[in-house]
Amino acid sequence: MFRINSLERLRTVSRTLCSRSSRSRSVESKEMFCFPKIWTGSVGVSTQSSFSIRTFSAPAAAYNQTVDIFPSIVIGSDGALSAQGPFAESQAQYLRPDEEAVNSLAERLKRANMGVVAHYYMDVELQGVLTSIQKQQLKETNASRIAIADSLAMGDFAVKMCQEGVTSIACLGVDFMSESVATIMSRNGFGHIPVYRATSKHIGCSLAESAEKDSYRAWLQKGKENNENVLHVVYINTSLETKAVSNSIVPTITCTSSNVMATMLQAAAEVPNITIMYGPDTYMGHNLVTMFSAILDAGWDDDKIARDLHPKHTRQSIQKLRDSINVFPHGNCVVHHMFGNEVVNAVRENYQDAFVTAHLEVPGEMFEIAMEKSLDGQGVVGSTSDILKFISAKVASAVKEGATSTNPIESQRRLKFILGTEAGMVTSIVKSVQDILSSSSSNNVETEIVFPVSSEAVTGVDDDQMGVVPGVSGGEGCSTAGGCATCPFMKMNDLDALSDIADMVIRKSDEVKLKSHLPPQRLLGMKIDGKDAIDLGSEPIIYMRHFMKEKFMPNSLVQQITGKCS
């Protein structure tokens, strides 16, 4: 079992890593000098020794965009909203949903006895309505059948809703999320309860699909042939097919952005000569390797590593682990890929007083500035949940300070946050901030959520050619150069589609059509090397669940890695 502690020590090493001048940092080298607490909790290091930074062959560069001032949503001290810029206006208009729409969907879901699990990146209009229904349900019954969460927690919420008596689940996300939810439900005894997607169409994901290409399988096969004791650590945000095929090539365990480092450390502790293949998220993989280098270059001795990182590791074993990591070179998220050098330049020049948040999947440039800010408590790098917690904590602290101030004028404040992730997060952020404000007697704090969106954004038009037009109307806010402010795949889920699903369940007359809304069944009845494909795809998730609970690798997985299976 690993141990990680002391936030101040993390800040010490991060200050050292981030002490270079901005001129010495290049987009081309993808140097990522700071590392996030979400991977390590906190780690300790002396700043007395010098060190170097390992560099990598750069993944496809995050696109450049010319921007000065970004759009934003301001949450007033009274909870009222105001938007600045077209993109923000398109997001804000749905944060106070129509009451009729709320009541109509709430009644449908009740009659259908349906629970809803939705990802944080969901369509803003839909999230606004679901959040209002959630408040209604909590007020009426002190329980809710609506959950807005990250991809792993969606499955857990679905299981809880099944235990409480729902007879169907609507899963609002991309296809691999509905697969994952259905798998988790099945493993918990609820495989008979249907999981419905909002559309019968394929809902893809740029990151997940990068692992479904022949190049990914060839990368795994080459790693297996050229190394012994190979473990594939695959990001949870991939399809069940990817997990199954990967697991048939090399032993595989899934990971999240919060447990990926712990997974690697424990695996290496139990299998000293391990080779770890990490994919498909290239940025996150390179960030991890850089972090291990930082620990070594900053002069940790064996005692410090054993005390503050992992009791079974030493400098030698950490170096061996770092050098054993093979990162897939061609995987990224179309949303997080957009946060490149020009965004960072605009933040540095025009938002010096802002808090900066960044998802773990962002390129090195955004990663760097968020980590620099985090040294003084002015930023965070983490998962969607970490970003939400950070913003909420800062607002709550400011409100508390304002409530105890004896000078109302001096206590007037506007907190400004750069949202370095998908814009759909704003719904949960606004809800949390408004809840904090409503529960306090202080009315001196305003909160501004800033969207780092390209001024050269485009939006899709509804035709068969997938055309785009200039502007950022209520939709993706994508750039033709290669990035999006909101996920175009997630936005395939909408309010009308969810209402239609509920109606079909109520009528019980469209069973054929309802079946087309079930999660992809690509593995149903399939066998890979004589093994059930669904079982092969589920096994890496079960391994991860075991590790999260027991803090050590399942014995069967270790035996697979070392080739000692009975």
Side-chain angles (χ1 to χ4, degrees):
M1 177 177 175
F2 73 99
R3 294 193 302 268
I4 301 170
N5 47 50
S6 181
L7 178 58
E8 288 306 314
R9 291 172 180 168
L10 169 63
R11 290 175 174 170
T12 300
V13 70
S14 297
R15 284 192 180 93
T16 308
L17 292 171
C18 293
S19 62
R20 297 186 181 191
S21 67
S22 59
R23 290 183 180 180
S24 69
R25 303 164 184 163
S26 64
V27 177
E28 288 75 16
S29 66
K30 293 292 171 187
E31 294 174 334
M32 304 170 192
F33 328 119
C34 314
F35 49 87
K37 67 177 183 179
I38 185 61
W39 282 325
T40 62
S42 305
V43 290
V45 64
S46 168
T47 59
Q48 301 302 312
S49 57
S50 60
F51 55 86
S52 60
I53 298 294
R54 295 182 81 207
T55 60
F56 307 92
S57 300
Y63 80 91
N64 288 335
Q65 52 180 341
T66 303
V67 288
D68 292 311
I69 302 299
F70 297 124
S72 65
I73 290 176
V74 177
I75 308 165
S77 57
D78 59 353
L81 303 179
S82 61
Q84 302 177 19
F87 181 81
E89 291 171 0
S90 72
Q91 303 298 302
Q93 64 178 317
Y94 296 118
L95 292 175
R96 284 187 171 175
D98 177 73
E99 186 175 346
E100 183 178 346
V102 172
N103 293 334
S104 176
L105 181 59
E107 179 60 25
R108 283 182 166 93
L109 294 176
K110 184 177 181 179
R111 290 177 60 197
N113 194 27
M114 176 181 287
V116 179
V117 290
H119 193 269
Y120 282 125
Y121 295 168
M122 195 47 49
D123 172 73
V124 177
E125 178 185 19
L126 183 51
Q127 277 204 60
V129 171
L130 290 175
T131 299
S132 294
I133 297 174
Q134 186 181 52
K135 287 182 178 179
Q136 284 184 3
Q137 293 178 344
L138 288 171
K139 186 176 181 180
E140 294 172 0
T141 65
N142 203 33
S144 177
R145 292 180 170 184
I146 304 288
I148 300 174
D150 59 31
S151 55
L152 182 61
M154 288 167 67
D156 296 330
F157 278 117
V159 169
K160 184 174 184 293
M161 292 174 194
C162 292
Q163 292 170 341
E164 294 173 350
V166 301
T167 52
S168 62
I169 294 287
C171 180
L172 307 180
V174 294
D175 282 351
F176 74 74
M177 293 178 184
S178 63
E179 283 184 321
S180 179
V181 166
T183 299
I184 292 171
M185 286 169 52
S186 178
R187 297 293 171 175
N188 283 273
F190 297 105
H192 61 287
I193 294 182
V195 176
Y196 296 118
R197 302 175 303 128
T199 175
S200 59
K201 298 178 181 178
H202 169 62
I203 310 177
C205 167
S206 59
L207 178 61
E209 289 176 1
S210 65
E212 295 176 3
K213 299 177 180 178
D214 290 341
S215 59
Y216 197 83
R217 300 171 190 184
W219 170 70
L220 288 174
Q221 189 65 45
K222 183 177 180 181
K224 175 186 177 182
E225 293 171 355
N226 294 341
N227 301 279
E228 295 182 354
N229 299 334
V230 178
L231 172 65
H232 176 218
V233 179
V234 64
Y235 199 17
I236 188 71
N237 293 352
T238 48
S239 69
L240 196 64
E241 180 179 17
T242 290
K243 296 177 180 73
V245 173
S246 299
N247 200 24
S248 72
I249 299 172
V250 293
T252 298
I253 184 172
T254 57
C255 71
T256 68
S257 54
S258 60
N259 68 22
V260 56
M261 182 189 177
T263 300
M264 292 182 177
L265 284 168
Q266 186 62 30
E270 296 188 38
V271 185
N273 294 317
I274 200 168
T275 295
I276 292 179
M277 304 189 72
Y278 175 78
D281 195 299
T282 305
Y283 290 130
M284 191 183 298
H286 283 179
N287 280 338
L288 282 162
V289 176
T290 299
M291 187 200 63
F292 284 125
S293 293
I295 291 171
L296 295 168
D297 295 337
W300 289 33
D301 59 22
D302 291 348
D303 289 339
K304 187 178 292 295
I305 288 172
R307 182 177 66 251
D308 295 336
L309 190 63
H310 194 291
K312 293 186 178 180
H313 276 287
T314 64
R315 283 187 59 83
Q316 183 179 11
S317 68
I318 292 297
Q319 181 174 344
K320 194 172 185 179
L321 168 58
R322 178 201 65 184
D323 295 342
S324 78
I325 299 173
N326 181 352
V327 179
F328 181 65
H330 305 299
N332 62 67
C333 166
V334 68
V335 174
H336 297 118
H337 189 54
M338 77 171 290
F339 299 111
N341 194 51
E342 292 304 316
V343 167
V344 172
N345 289 341
V347 171
R348 289 189 188 280
E349 294 174 10
N350 303 313
Y351 294 89
Q352 296 179 5
D353 60 338
F355 297 98
V356 179
T357 71
H359 194 278
L360 290 173
E361 298 174 20
V362 300
E365 299 86 1
M366 194 70 178
F367 179 88
E368 171 191 341
I369 192 171
M371 281 309 303
E372 287 179 354
K373 286 276 191 174
S374 74
L375 304 180
D376 298 315
Q378 303 299 301
V380 66
V381 177
S383 66
T384 49
S385 297
D386 294 309
I387 291 172
L388 178 59
K389 291 175 184 176
F390 175 82
I391 294 175
S392 299
K394 289 297 180 183
V395 173
S397 177
V399 167
K400 184 177 180 180
E401 290 175 9
T404 58
S405 174
T406 58
N407 189 329
I409 296 178
E410 289 184 0
S411 65
Q412 293 281 349
R413 297 182 61 186
R414 173 177 290 190
L415 306 183
K416 191 177 296 185
F417 298 90
I418 304 294
L419 186 61
T421 189
E422 213 270 1
M425 273 294 296
V426 74
T427 306
S428 295
I429 292 169
V430 167
K431 176 182 179 294
S432 178
V433 171
Q434 288 177 331
D435 287 346
I436 292 169
L437 294 174
S438 66
S439 64
S440 172
S441 58
S442 173
N443 61 351
N444 299 319
V445 177
E446 295 181 334
T447 304
E448 184 175 3
I449 308 300
V450 180
F451 304 97
V453 178
S454 172
S455 58
E456 299 175 353
V458 297
T459 187
V461 295
D462 190 15
D463 64 29
D464 294 335
Q465 302 303 314
M466 294 296 288
V468 296
V469 298
V472 284
S473 166
E476 297 92 44
C478 295
S479 165
T480 53
C484 298
T486 72
C487 177
F489 305 108
M490 288 285 191
K491 299 319 181 266
M492 292 176 69
N493 300 266
D494 60 41
L495 184 59
D496 290 339
L498 178 56
S499 296
D500 290 344
I501 290 292
D503 284 341
M504 283 189 280
V505 171
I506 293 168
R507 291 195 303 265
K508 300 180 180 179
S509 59
D510 296 308
E511 291 189 10
V512 174
K513 190 172 183 180
L514 270 174
K515 285 183 179 180
S516 69
H517 288 261
L518 294 172
Q521 301 289 318
R522 291 178 291 184
L523 300 185
L524 188 63
M526 286 183 56
K527 291 187 179 296
I528 301 177
D529 296 335
K531 299 179 180 179
D532 183 84
I534 293 178
D535 287 344
L536 270 175
S538 302
E539 192 173 52
I541 302 173
I542 295 171
Y543 287 154
M544 180 188 69
R545 292 282 187 173
H546 177 280
F547 170 62
M548 292 173 68
K549 180 180 179 181
E550 305 295 341
K551 307 304 180 187
F552 60 86
M553 294 290 120
N555 186 56
S556 58
L557 176 60
V558 173
Q559 289 179 341
Q560 287 183 52
I561 296 169
T562 57
K564 296 180 181 179
C565 296
S566 55

